[in-house]
Structures are given as structure tokens and as C-alpha cells.
Amino acid sequence: MTTDKLEREAKRYRWLSIILLVALLGVYVHLASTHTEILPLTSNSTAGFLACEVPRHGTKPINSTRNVASWTTDSRDAKPIPCHSHNDYLRHVPLFDALTAGCTGVEADVWVDSNLKDDLYVGHTRKSLQPAQTLNSLYIEPLLAILNEMNTPSNLSSPTSVEDPKTPAGVFETFPTQAITLLIDLKTASESTFPIVLAALKPLLERNYLTTWSQARGLVPGPIAVVGTGNTNFTSAILSPANSNPRLIFFDAPLDTLATLEHKDTNDYNTNNSYYASVSYNQDIGKPLLGFMYPSQVRKVKREIVAAEERRLVSRYWDAPTWPKKVERGIWDTLVSEGVGLLSVDDLEGVQGVWESGGPRSV
């Protein structure tokens, strides 16, 4: 065979190889999103808690309670799971979709906008802000009404009421000691937004519905823990005098730095000032290889989770891959098996399957 023919044959085989590789990848993606089980790499550590993040646009709505009055009855069927509802305000029924699914955490992006009246607005972008969608209307008022109802004498006389009469009951009637977390992501400057958030929380504080910390009493658990993230400044906001007597808002500590050498032997982030310890999964851990986490990625996750546990903080990874669904589930199972404190997910129905199937899969 001549040299020209050999070169043509070699080029043809190279193109065939590329086409075959693309086809195989297409088959893999299809199977991963439909039938194939993508099992994660895990260690033998004890399974931990999770946090579930909200469904994105177009996600099928769950059959949830629509108002406070019906929630006091419907909550009897809700079983709390460590699920954090990410961007909760994008759901069909903010707050109530998450509570119906059993989520013990919700998230609101909060803005101060001079073009609107002096209030805290909730939305994904500044352009999406609406006068009726405020922190007060979507979260504070409904939570206040739910807790007022749950703490009426008739409800507190039930066998499932809290043992300590000084501790108010939470939002789940059959699990009254279960607290929830309201994560407030400041989108505008901390200096201008944080004081308004503090003032907005006063109705909940006055009824002893908030977890607080003070020098005199230490950490006092309540039905709701409020955590500041986004533009929330640790020094000028969280540690400020206005938030110290007592402390109403706790910090979302940087999970990726807790295990580093400069932070390993320090106690700068602790239960006096912080509650969550979070980081972007994609930025910190990276993409999985064909649906699997590398052993090095699993080891890094474990180090960070342990670092948070040593400070008694709730570890949380956000921005993890959400597609294909089998890949998402594999990552959830790995994180749970490694003891993560909170699963950050968008799919409220899907995350319930982690517990309904008897726990995370392992290999």
C-alpha cells in the first residue's frame, strides 16, 4: 500500500474513532439519566445529615400546603429531613413547599432597593424584585403565625409537645423539638442591609422563637436559627454590638478553609458566632469523572466535614451537579455517607428518596 493510501486510511480510522467515542458518551449520558445506577465512591464512615435545595424553574410542584391555617393540620404528616431549600422563593409556594417535603432549612436572597419602598425584597436578581415579595411577607409573617399556632395551649397539651415548657414548639406538630434554619443571603451591601434584617427579626425574637447567643446565657436554642451568608460581613455585622446582645444572626463559615493549616488550630468560627459551614461544590471539589467522585475528592470532603464537626457546625455543599439525575444522586449518597451536615439540593421530591430507600447506597 502506498504512503498516500496509508495516510488516508489512518485519517479515516481517526475520524471513526472520534465518532465512536462521541456515540459512546451519548449512550452513557442517556443511561445515566434514565436507568443506569451510578454508584458513588464512599468510605465506611457513619451517614450524616443533609440539606436540600429548591427546585429550579419548571420543576414539577409538590402537593404542598397553601397557607398557615392548613399547615397546622397538614404538618402532622410531614417528617423532617435535613434538607435545605435553596433559592426557596423560586418555588411554587415558598416556605410551604419546603416544609411539606420535610426540609429543615430554607434560603432567601435579600435585597435593599431604593427604587422600591424601604423594605427587604426577596428575589434572584434585582430585576426580578416585586413589591409583594418581601422577607416579611414570604417568611417572617408566615413563620410567626405558624409558631403562634403551634404554641397555643391546645397544641402544647398534646403528648408530642416539648418537654421543656420554656422552649417554644417548632413548626412540625409531631416533631415539636425540631428546629429549622432560615438562611438569609444578602445581595446588597452588608452595611446597609444587615441592620434592616436585624430589625425585621424582632417579632420572632420577642416570642423567643429564635436561637440566640449572649455572653451571659451562652447558646439558647429556639425553633428557628437565622444564618447570614452572601455579603454578610463576619466582623462588622455578625460580631457587631448590635448583633451581640443577644446574637440573632449566625455566620455561614467558609467550609473550605476550616481544614487548612492556618485555621486548623484556631477557634475563630464556632457555635458562638456561626451555624453553617458552606462552600461551592464545583469550585471546591470539582466535577465528577463520568458520574463518580475521585478518591481524592472523597478524602477532601471528609477532611472538611470533620473540620466542621470539630467546631460543631453544620457542613453544607451548594452548587453541586444536578444532571444527570443518577450523577446527582450518587453525589448525595457519597456526601451523606461521609457525614455531611446538610444536603443542598434543588429537587425536593428526589432528595426524599435518600431516606425512603433506607439510606444511602454504598459500594
Side-chain angles (χ1 to χ4, degrees):
M1 186 178 293
T2 65
T3 301
D4 289 342
K5 287 185 178 180
L6 285 173
E7 289 179 351
R8 284 197 299 272
E9 286 296 311
K11 186 179 295 186
R12 187 166 70 91
Y13 281 118
R14 281 198 297 270
W15 278 108
L16 287 174
S17 299
I18 292 172
I19 293 170
L20 179 61
L21 179 60
V22 171
L24 288 174
L25 285 174
V27 170
Y28 171 83
V29 170
H30 172 72
L31 291 175
S33 61
T34 53
H35 305 294
T36 301
E37 295 289 332
I38 304 295
L39 297 178
L41 295 169
T42 64
S43 71
N44 292 325
S45 59
T46 303
F49 293 118
L50 298 172
C52 82
E53 301 193 342
V54 268
R56 300 215 158 92
H57 299 289
T59 302
K60 185 178 93 172
I62 66 174
N63 184 22
S64 73
T65 295
R66 288 330 202 207
N67 55 58
V68 172
S70 57
W71 170 250
T72 55
T73 299
D74 295 344
S75 71
R76 297 168 187 170
D77 298 324
K79 296 181 180 180
I81 58 176
C83 161
H84 174 82
S85 183
H86 170 246
N87 291 345
D88 184 78
Y89 52 87
L90 294 178
R91 296 195 182 277
H92 294 271
V93 187
L95 179 63
F96 291 100
D97 277 4
L99 294 180
T100 301
C103 284
T104 55
V106 293
E107 177 180 342
D109 290 352
V110 173
W111 307 71
V112 171
D113 194 320
S114 58
N115 294 323
L116 299 169
K117 68 177 184 178
D118 189 19
D119 208 337
L120 295 166
Y121 296 91
V122 176
H124 200 58
T125 63
R126 188 179 290 275
K127 289 183 178 181
S128 69
L129 302 182
Q130 300 292 331
Q133 293 184 321
T134 67
L135 183 66
N136 193 53
S137 64
L138 294 182
Y139 295 100
I140 294 177
E141 286 183 354
L143 286 170
L144 186 63
I146 290 172
L147 292 172
N148 284 342
E149 180 64 25
M150 292 298 182
N151 286 279
T152 58
S154 59
N155 281 325
L156 290 177
S157 64
S158 67
T160 58
S161 62
V162 291
E163 294 180 3
D164 184 356
K166 296 180 182 179
T167 303
V171 300
F172 298 101
E173 184 173 8
T174 51
F175 298 88
T177 60
Q178 175 64 58
I180 66 169
T181 304
L182 175 59
L183 182 67
I184 298 178
D185 188 341
L186 299 192
K187 294 300 184 182
T188 43
S190 181
E191 292 75 13
S192 60
T193 313
F194 193 81
I196 304 177
V197 175
L198 278 177
L201 295 173
K202 287 295 178 63
L204 294 169
L205 175 66
E206 291 170 352
R207 302 302 296 268
N208 296 321
Y209 291 156
L210 296 181
T211 293
T212 62
W213 177 89
S214 65
Q215 194 71 45
R217 301 185 64 192
L219 190 67
V220 179
I224 303 172
V226 180
V227 178
T229 190
N231 286 332
T232 303
N233 186 281
F234 180 66
T235 303
S236 64
I238 298 298
L239 301 183
S240 66
N243 189 44
S244 297
N245 191 30
R247 178 159 294 131
L248 313 183
I249 304 177
F250 296 81
F251 196 54
D252 187 13
L255 179 60
D256 54 328
T257 66
L258 294 183
T260 58
L261 290 178
E262 60 266 31
H263 283 277
K264 190 172 183 181
D265 297 323
T266 66
N267 196 33
D268 44 1
Y269 301 112
N270 55 63
T271 54
N272 294 353
N273 54 53
S274 303
Y275 191 86
Y276 280 172
S278 308
V279 70
S280 164
Y281 180 97
N282 279 329
Q283 293 181 13
D284 182 47
I285 305 302
K287 299 289 185 181
L289 175 64
L290 297 180
F292 293 88
M293 291 176 67
Y294 300 103
S296 60
Q297 291 176 319
V298 178
R299 289 193 295 270
K300 185 175 185 180
V301 162
K302 185 61 179 177
R303 285 196 305 271
E304 294 175 346
I305 290 173
V306 169
E309 288 176 345
E310 290 174 347
R311 292 164 174 79
R312 294 166 57 201
L313 303 180
V314 180
S315 55
R316 179 179 73 105
Y317 290 93
W318 52 275
D319 193 30
T322 59
W323 189 90
K325 301 304 290 183
K326 295 297 182 180
V327 172
E328 178 185 54
R329 176 58 188 268
I331 291 173
W332 290 352
D333 287 344
T334 300
L335 292 177
V336 175
S337 295
E338 295 304 326
V340 74
L342 201 68
L343 259 193
S344 195
V345 304
D346 293 321
D347 185 356
L348 291 183
E349 288 188 310
V351 76
Q352 293 174 324
V354 175
W355 292 276
E356 289 174 354
S357 61
R361 297 185 295 270
S362 61
V363 293

